[in-house]
Amino acid sequence: MIDHDVIAQATPMPILVAPQAVLRQKTRLVRPEDMDELRTIIPRMFAAMYQAPGIGLAAPQVGLGMRFAIVDVADKDEARNPLVLINPEVIAETDSMAVREEGCLSLPNQYAEVIRPEAVRVRYQDMDGKAQEIEADDLLATCLQHEIDHLEGILFVDHLSALKRNMIMRRLAKEQRQKH
């Protein structure tokens, strides 16, 4: 389990914004020798995600080419429920699809409706290296699929038509230029 006090004291990591190349690269599996680094990085990732605010953050979004992500879909008025997924993979998904509006911390202020399987089962390792499985539907299912996509170099806009994707990427580029 992630210590909330450690997260509260952690310095948030900078979140990369598309079109950063690392966001398009497939990640490598986390190895046992990576775990010390992850124990340092993960609280900083949660700090960045909560500050943003967001509900998920994958390693490539903070410039790391490793296969892990964090999620917390708890509502503002609920207790935090941080989840760390190391080497996650979708092992089952429903045939029924769901449409949900998605956004991404690496594509700030950009949103679109994405169609994904309604429910999924994900296998992953926890921080102790133990194999875990989680069954998810609704927002958590969408979030898990979105973060696992990041680990494959896929952004949510890749699920859209070329026209919609290009419109969003142009709008993002324009907003980023105006910020700097």
Side-chain angles (χ1 to χ4, degrees):
M1 198 61 202
I2 300 297
D3 186 328
H4 297 284
D5 293 333
V6 173
I7 293 171
Q9 294 164 10
T11 304
M13 293 183 81
I15 297 171
L16 301 179
V17 174
Q20 289 283 336
V22 69
L23 295 172
R24 291 302 192 172
Q25 292 163 3
K26 204 173 153 135
T27 56
R28 69 162 175 83
L29 290 174
V30 171
R31 299 183 287 254
E33 59 267 25
D34 297 322
M35 291 310 297
D36 285 343
E37 184 182 1
L38 263 58
R39 284 187 187 86
T40 304
I41 291 166
I42 286 173
R44 296 185 62 209
M45 284 177 66
F46 273 110
M49 182 182 81
Y50 291 144
Q51 182 181 53
I55 60 170
L57 193 62
Q61 294 179 271
V62 293
L64 300 170
M66 287 187 269
R67 191 171 182 86
F68 73 96
I70 61 170
V71 298
D72 186 347
V73 298
D75 279 331
K76 285 185 214 53
D77 52 354
E78 291 179 332
R80 294 239 187 258
N81 187 20
L83 182 61
V84 177
L85 302 124
I86 297 170
N87 299 328
E89 59 180 328
V90 175
I91 57 171
E93 59 188 38
T94 55
D95 291 332
S96 53
M97 304 300 270
V99 178
R100 188 178 285 276
E101 185 179 72
E102 291 188 32
C104 179
L105 298 178
S106 291
L107 290 97
N109 306 314
Q110 309 304 315
Y111 302 92
E113 289 193 336
V114 178
I115 302 168
R116 296 185 185 270
E118 192 171 19
V120 292
R121 182 183 304 138
V122 173
R123 181 184 299 140
Y124 65 97
Q125 292 164 343
D126 63 19
M127 291 293 289
D128 298 321
K130 290 191 185 79
Q132 303 283 348
E133 284 187 17
I134 185 170
E135 292 202 17
D137 58 9
D138 298 326
L139 180 59
L140 182 57
T142 299
C143 185
L144 290 172
Q145 292 173 81
H146 178 111
E147 298 312 324
I148 290 170
D149 272 359
H150 273 298
L151 304 177
E152 299 294 332
I154 298 168
L155 301 176
F156 83 92
V157 293
D158 297 334
H159 293 279
L160 307 175
S161 69
L163 179 68
K164 281 185 183 169
R165 179 173 54 249
N166 291 338
M167 282 173 45
I168 287 173
M169 295 310 285
R170 277 198 301 272
R171 193 167 56 226
L172 175 64
K174 182 178 175 187
E175 286 180 17
Q176 292 300 307
R177 280 194 305 275
Q178 289 169 347
K179 268 178 66 174
H180 297 296

